[in-house]
Amino acid sequence: MAETQPTNEHWRPVPGYEGLYEVSDHGRVRSLDHRTVGKDGIERPYRGRVLKPRIQRYGHYKVVLYKGDSKKSEFVHRLVLMAHDRLPKDGEIACHKNDQPDDNRLTNLYWGTYSSNTYDRVRNGQDVNARKTHCPRGHEYTPETTRYDAKGSRSCKLCTYAVLVEEHAEKRAKGEFVEYYGGHCPQGLSLIHI
């Protein structure tokens, strides 16, 4: 069965490979007709074609681009953004809005950070930890029982409270003085005296 051609597909040169390769806003890469010189020194015509990408470990597509005697493997999503949007700034990565690594349409891609990529996974329900509804000890994650640190990691206030109660009980059993921070633990939970 023949592959259907996308409608309204726009092609632009791949930066650094002008005259050799183009990439479309639908995520396809093609080589252009050109002449190449082989190792034997003979010049031969090369007929352009749409490249078949290789699927990488996590589902991203890569193609191999040749320029002179060198070859380089490139991610298709990066090529789409570099040709149709702009070159990346320092620290930027190419992100998929829908978390589908094989969806390399320009409308699904943007330059972002590792952090924004993680937020996409959480928003799309793809993050394993974000899908967890209970902590390891079985407490439900609710706004009242969940604490977030500066990096966005969450922890269970009830578990933290239980650990503090155990520590305080051990200290009292040894006769050590336990300070209760005005009746509340450092996380703001009320301490119950055992």
Side-chain angles (χ1 to χ4, degrees):
M1 185 173 161
E3 182 181 330
T4 59
Q5 303 296 323
T7 56
N8 299 324
E9 188 172 19
H10 302 285
W11 294 87
R12 290 199 179 158
V14 173
Y17 293 89
E18 292 83 356
L20 298 173
Y21 296 95
E22 290 182 337
V23 61
S24 82
D25 57 351
H26 286 262
R28 298 193 312 150
V29 182
R30 68 181 177 190
S31 59
L32 302 175
D33 293 342
H34 63 280
R35 300 187 71 75
T36 183
V37 178
K39 291 183 180 180
D40 56 5
I42 298 175
E43 187 177 78
R44 293 180 179 85
Y46 181 85
R47 186 169 172 87
R49 62 183 175 84
V50 173
L51 304 182
K52 183 177 179 181
R54 295 180 184 165
I55 300 174
Q56 299 301 300
R57 181 176 177 189
Y58 295 107
H60 293 95
Y61 286 178
K62 265 191 165 182
V63 292
V64 177
L65 305 179
Y66 294 86
K67 187 175 185 182
D69 292 336
S70 65
K71 68 177 182 176
K72 189 173 182 185
S73 183
E74 293 278 0
F75 284 108
V76 172
H77 55 280
R78 287 182 55 82
L79 296 178
V80 171
L81 280 173
M82 288 190 304
H84 292 273
D85 186 34
R86 61 176 171 78
L87 296 178
K89 297 176 184 171
D90 286 343
E92 285 186 322
I93 62 170
C95 301
H96 294 80
K97 293 176 186 174
N98 66 2
D99 292 319
Q100 301 299 316
D102 61 345
D103 185 354
N104 294 312
R105 295 170 297 135
L106 179 61
T107 56
N108 185 48
L109 302 173
Y110 70 97
W111 291 115
T113 62
Y114 284 104
S115 178
S116 60
N117 205 25
T118 301
Y119 285 124
D120 285 345
R121 281 197 309 274
V122 171
R123 183 189 70 238
N124 295 327
Q126 300 295 322
D127 187 76
V128 174
N129 289 321
R131 288 194 308 250
K132 292 179 182 175
T133 58
H134 291 76
C135 76
R137 291 187 178 185
H139 302 121
E140 184 178 7
Y141 285 124
T142 65
E144 295 79 28
T145 63
T146 307
R147 181 178 154 272
Y148 294 92
D149 66 13
K151 294 182 180 178
S153 297
R154 67 181 172 180
S155 61
C156 176
K157 290 180 181 179
L158 298 176
C159 289
T160 303
Y161 175 76
V163 169
L164 285 171
V165 169
E166 289 170 12
E167 288 175 357
H168 290 180
E170 289 175 11
K171 288 181 179 180
R172 279 195 304 277
K174 293 178 185 177
E176 296 177 16
F177 175 73
V178 179
E179 186 175 347
Y180 285 104
Y181 303 100
H184 292 81
C185 72
Q187 283 74 29
L189 294 169
S190 176
L191 291 172
I192 300 171
H193 300 280
I194 299 173

